Structure formats: structure tokens, C-alpha cells
Amino acid sequence: MSVEVRSTAEDRRPQPAHGSEPQRIRWHRPLMALAAASALVSVASVVGLVFDQRELVGAPIWAKALKFGVSILIYAVTWAWLIGQLTRFRRTAWWAGTVISVTLLAELAIITLQVVRGHRSHYNNANPLDEALWSIMGTAIMVLWLATLVAAVLLWFTPGADRARTLAIRLGSTISLVGLGLGFLMTMPTEAQLASGGDIIGAHTVGAGDGGPGLPVLGWSTEHGDLRIPHFVGMHALQLIPLALLLIELASRRVVAFRSVRTRIGLVWTVAAVWAAVVALVTWQALRGQSIVAPDALTVWAAVLIVVGGLAGIGLSLASGRHRAIEPAEQQR
């Protein structure tokens, strides 16, 4: 006898009321202005890479401005959309987003100014102007983290119509906040800097000075540890975890198991746990002075454990969702 598998009420997405219109997206305007400025800096940086052959710390001088421009562009658009979706604490969220936009705009402007001057923007205390600019950047970064904390907390207190989507946004923002905070590790002076009392205080390379061989485009060190990696990987969880859920939703058109909201919630928890573990792993690897492209046995085994844990989480999520969907149908027999 065949058993018909029916979706439970939990598995059906809420539909808008008859005659109602979808909620209009309210983009946060200061953050969208920041996105526009970031796009202009990115375009200018590409032009600079073509026509300006100067190098700084072993890399094309406009490479940093390009990377920051693109990263801030993505970050700004994401938060502009998220803050626009909030149905509670809108005024507080608006101010948090505005602070985020101002601090990142200040950072982007200083980076661009220093590129034009041919000076390092980060960790630079070579002269009074460089020191003042780096001090402004350091203060802006701390204020940025606090404003992002406020925005992330507000996301946790604003429920959404789809539980899996809400969870993906909440977990993505939390891991992103951790990744943003990992940037502070790069502001700490190294032992060599303390011993020499030089003009550069802080570094992203562990085990050597900044510069040297790096990965194409990203520039991450291929010989030593690089703290930019956990900072980057963690910060962009804000986009990648919701993106993973979007791919799961698209796959649900063909994969019946993904249509269960219980399964999607389990998969979101799994993706977030794996991503958090990867952030921890690359942080540990960088702090040991180990290049991302030359992992030792401990790092490899830790990566294997993360993969095994992720596969187990996927299996449990699928099993849980299938059990929940079949249970009501069995009661019909």
C-alpha cells in the first residue's frame, strides 16, 4: 500500500493575505551611498592598476583600494537590505546603519588618500599625518564593530515570515561580527616591532614581515600565516550563509526533502556550524604562522573533522525533515 507524503503546516511557507501586496523593500540610503562610493573607488582602482605601476609592500599599490572597495560594496548593500527589512526598532537600526556607513566611508577615503600619497594606510606611524590617519582608522574600526553589534542584535529580535531565512540571517550576522572582530588581531605589534621600535605597529603576516609572495588577487601569503584570511572568511558569512540557504531553496524544486522547513533549518545550522569551524581553523592556522596553501597534518585532520561533522549534520537534517513529513501521513493509514 502506498503512503502519500503530505507537507505539514510547518512546511508550508506563509502566503500573503488575499489582495495584499508584497512588502516594499526599504533600502538604507546612507549605506547605499557608501556602496556607490565603494563602486567608484573600485573602478578608479582598476584604472590605477592599469596605468599606475607603483608597488607598496610587494604588491601593486592600487590592489588594496580595489579589494577594500569591492568588499565594502558588498557589505554595504547587504546591510542596506537587511536594515530595510526590519519591522521593529527601525530608528535604532537606521542610526546603526548610518554609523556603519560613516565609519567605512572614512576608512575607504583614508585608504584611497594613502594610495595617492604612496604611503601605507594600515599600522603606519611614520610621520604625524600618517599616525593621525591611522588613529582615525583605528577609532573608526572600533565604532564600526559596535554599530554592527547593535544591528546584529536587532536582527535577533526581529522575527521573519520564514524561519529558515530568519535563522540564516541571524547566524550569518553573528559570525560576521566575529570575523570583523578578528581584524583587531592585526593591530597588535609584533615582537620584532616592539624590539626595533619602528614606524609600523601591527601586521597581517605572522612569522615574517608583511609583503612577499601571495595568492593572485587576494594577496594572502603563500609562505607564512596571514590574519587577513579569518577576517575575510568570517566577515562575509553575512552573505554566504543566506546564499547557501537560497541555493537550498532553489534545489528544493527538484529535491523533495529540501521542501521541509525543519530540514532547511537543520541545514542552516549545519552550514553555520561548518563556517564557524572554518573561521576558527584558519585563525588557528594563521596564528601558528602557517600559510593557507601549506597546511600541516594537524590542520588537515582538523579540516577532515569539519567535513565529517558537516556531512553528519546534513544527514541528520534530512532525516529529521523526512520523519516530520511522513509522520502525519502515517496517521492517515
Side-chain angles (χ1 to χ4, degrees):
M1 176 179 179
S2 62
V3 178
E4 181 182 1
V5 179
R6 299 179 181 177
S7 298
T8 65
E10 180 188 24
D11 293 338
R12 292 193 294 268
R13 295 181 187 173
Q15 299 295 325
H18 179 70
S20 64
E21 296 181 358
Q23 183 180 1
R24 181 170 60 89
I25 297 177
R26 301 180 179 181
W27 295 92
H28 188 277
R29 291 185 178 180
L31 280 166
M32 291 305 294
L34 170 64
S38 301
L40 289 175
V41 169
S42 300
V43 172
S45 299
V46 172
V47 175
L49 287 171
V50 174
F51 295 102
D52 188 346
Q53 303 303 313
R54 291 179 298 163
E55 291 191 357
L56 187 64
V57 197
I61 198 167
W62 284 97
K64 174 177 283 191
L66 176 59
K67 288 186 288 186
F68 271 82
V70 173
S71 180
I72 291 175
L73 169 62
I74 297 171
Y75 196 76
V77 171
T78 304
W79 273 115
W81 181 79
L82 289 175
I83 290 175
Q85 301 305 301
L86 293 176
T87 57
R88 301 177 181 176
F89 315 108
R90 287 181 176 176
R91 183 177 295 275
T92 303
W94 187 91
W95 279 109
T98 301
V99 172
I100 291 172
S101 62
V102 170
T103 53
L104 284 175
L105 183 61
E107 183 175 11
L108 190 63
I110 292 173
I111 290 171
T112 306
L113 172 62
Q114 291 293 71
V115 168
V116 173
R117 294 180 65 227
H119 289 220
R120 295 183 63 170
S121 54
H122 288 72
Y123 332 122
N124 192 353
N125 296 275
N127 58 56
L129 178 57
D130 289 333
E131 186 175 1
L133 291 174
W134 171 232
S135 178
I136 293 171
M137 286 184 67
T139 303
I141 291 169
M142 288 188 287
V143 175
L144 166 66
W145 191 89
L146 292 173
T148 306
L149 172 64
V150 171
V153 169
L154 295 181
L155 290 177
W156 278 91
F157 285 95
T158 304
D162 185 283
R163 289 165 53 204
R165 292 184 182 181
T166 301
L167 181 64
I169 290 171
R170 288 173 174 175
L171 294 178
S173 64
T174 301
I175 298 174
S176 177
L177 190 66
V178 173
L180 192 63
L182 289 173
F184 291 111
L185 293 174
M186 293 181 274
T187 65
M188 301 173 62
T190 65
E191 293 183 2
Q193 290 169 348
L194 290 174
S196 63
D199 297 329
I200 303 299
I201 305 298
H204 53 72
T205 305
V206 179
D210 288 346
L215 292 175
V217 183
L218 296 171
W220 297 339
S221 178
T222 55
E223 295 182 345
H224 305 282
D226 199 319
L227 292 168
R228 292 176 296 183
I229 299 173
H231 179 57
F232 176 89
V233 174
M235 194 172 70
H236 289 292
L238 183 66
Q239 294 84 30
L240 292 171
I241 293 177
L243 178 60
L245 176 61
L246 176 61
L247 295 176
I248 292 169
E249 290 179 351
L250 292 174
S252 69
R253 298 175 182 178
R254 295 182 177 273
V255 182
V256 177
F258 289 168
R259 297 174 188 173
S260 164
V261 69
R262 188 183 181 104
T263 296
R264 295 197 302 274
I265 288 173
L267 291 173
V268 168
W269 276 110
T270 300
V271 171
V274 168
W275 202 261
V278 170
V279 173
L281 176 61
V282 294
T283 303
W284 178 55
Q285 185 181 21
L287 289 173
R288 289 187 294 140
Q290 185 180 113
S291 170
I292 190 70
V293 299
D296 62 8
L298 282 175
T299 303
V300 171
W301 277 110
V304 170
L305 289 175
I306 292 173
V307 171
V308 171
L311 293 175
I314 292 172
L316 289 173
S317 299
L318 293 173
S320 175
R322 183 176 180 277
H323 173 75
R324 187 62 175 264
I326 291 177
E327 188 179 49
E330 289 180 337
Q331 294 174 358
Q332 306 280 338
R333 298 175 63 180

